[in-house]
Amino acid sequence: MDTSMYHAFAAVESRHWWFQGRRRIVAGLLRDHLDDRRPARPGGLNILDVGSGTGEMVEMLREFGTVTALDSSPHAIDYLRQRLPEGVSARHGSIPEDLPRDETFDLVTAFDVVEHLEDDLGALRAFRQVLPTGGRMALTVPAHQMLWSHHDVYAGHFRRYSRARLSDLVHRAGGFQVERLAHFNSLLFLPALAARTAGRWRRRVAPPVAEQVDPHLAVPAPLVNRFLLGVFSSEAHLLSHVDPPFGVSLVALCRAC
């Protein structure tokens, strides 16, 4: 991922509706599924967060235990250490080559990470190697190739996933049982589809403009930002009861077996 993306993330993710909404939704799903894995010891779960970026989701994961954060960008690790100077082990290394294979973890997380990796299958197999039987893996990925846009190119994505493609990836990796595989960011799916379709049309009829910052990362006006956050984060409750048929993203919670 381009270095400028990390600077942009650090500047907006504590305020931007998408980052905060994803954080609330994933936290809710983890609370629903991890009760049987939370040990009695004071430190809680031993967690490995892969592709931690500048630390927004690491901060959330600390609710569940002790976090080791791994990212391939030294810029991201610098931001993470400034943000969370205590209680997190932040490590710079390639993914998946530099996973700490001499350790095991109760939970491995990769939030919007594997779409950046050419060998996503190899990454999941490496995640399984650091999980004991009964450990969990949590992934989020962008959904639906029809939503492919300049944002995906700017972010360095290799692909977006259908539900079937992500399920097949997990099963081919071996050693995992899928406990939950669901779309999220479903309430805003149609506006996102319309916006990205319009964006592709504009790029066909007008010369491309060099952009220093991905426009998807601009924080909307405060009222708009609060509205979008309210709509998006309401799915934290919705996902406890229904399985949306579509969404801008997918989440997978898997048990190592």
Side-chain angles (χ1 to χ4, degrees):
M1 188 161 61
D2 190 273
T3 299
S4 64
M5 291 287 284
Y6 294 107
H7 302 318
F9 288 166
V12 305
E13 63 185 1
S14 65
R15 298 176 290 124
H16 195 288
W17 65 270
W18 185 86
F19 291 100
Q20 291 303 304
R22 179 186 64 166
R23 174 175 174 154
R24 295 180 188 183
I25 288 167
V26 171
L29 286 170
L30 292 178
R31 291 185 196 111
D32 288 344
H33 285 267
L34 292 181
D35 283 347
D36 66 323
R37 289 294 299 173
R38 297 205 202 189
R41 64 178 184 273
L45 298 175
N46 189 22
I47 302 168
L48 174 64
D49 184 53
V50 180
S52 299
T54 56
E56 178 64 31
M57 297 299 275
V58 173
E59 195 171 44
M60 176 274 292
L61 288 169
R62 295 175 74 185
E63 170 188 339
F64 301 95
T66 302
V67 184
T68 298
L70 176 69
D71 201 278
S72 60
S73 167
H75 301 285
I77 294 299
D78 287 344
Y79 277 120
L80 199 153
R81 286 172 175 160
Q82 292 169 26
R83 182 176 190 162
L84 301 168
E86 298 179 0
V88 173
S89 172
R91 305 182 186 182
H92 173 238
S94 298
I95 300 167
E97 293 82 2
D98 292 326
L99 264 66
R101 297 172 195 267
D102 56 341
E103 302 176 49
T104 58
F105 298 87
D106 302 304
L107 172 66
V108 173
T109 59
F111 300 124
D112 292 277
V113 172
V114 297
E115 67 275 12
H116 295 271
L117 304 176
E118 188 168 7
D119 184 10
D120 53 355
L121 178 61
L124 264 64
R125 286 174 172 166
F127 298 166
R128 178 61 184 88
Q129 291 175 10
V130 298
L131 284 167
T133 299
R136 295 312 211 299
M137 174 181 71
L139 308 174
T140 60
V141 296
H144 298 298
Q145 197 64 26
M146 66 176 145
L147 291 177
W148 185 269
S149 71
H150 175 66
H151 167 71
D152 296 282
V153 177
Y154 187 90
H157 293 172
F158 281 95
R159 67 198 74 80
R160 301 179 72 93
Y161 293 81
S162 66
R163 182 185 177 113
R165 181 173 186 169
L166 183 57
S167 177
D168 179 65
L169 176 68
V170 172
H171 286 296
R172 284 192 296 126
F176 288 111
Q177 176 185 354
V178 176
E179 294 188 316
R180 186 74 193 275
L181 177 57
H183 288 99
F184 68 103
N185 201 358
S186 302
L187 300 176
L188 295 172
F189 174 80
L190 291 178
L193 177 60
R196 296 188 184 197
T197 301
R200 287 194 295 269
W201 180 83
R202 284 196 302 269
R203 289 178 180 277
R204 284 199 296 268
V205 302
V209 177
E211 294 167 330
Q212 297 302 312
V213 178
D214 186 346
H216 287 81
L217 295 178
V219 180
L223 285 176
V224 175
N225 196 56
R226 284 198 294 272
F227 171 75
L228 292 172
L229 174 58
V231 172
F232 187 18
S233 60
S234 69
E235 296 185 23
H237 176 72
L238 181 69
L239 284 170
S240 297
H241 304 282
V242 300
D243 192 357
F246 50 79
V248 180
S249 298
L250 282 159
V251 60
L253 296 171
C254 309
R255 182 193 296 267
C257 58

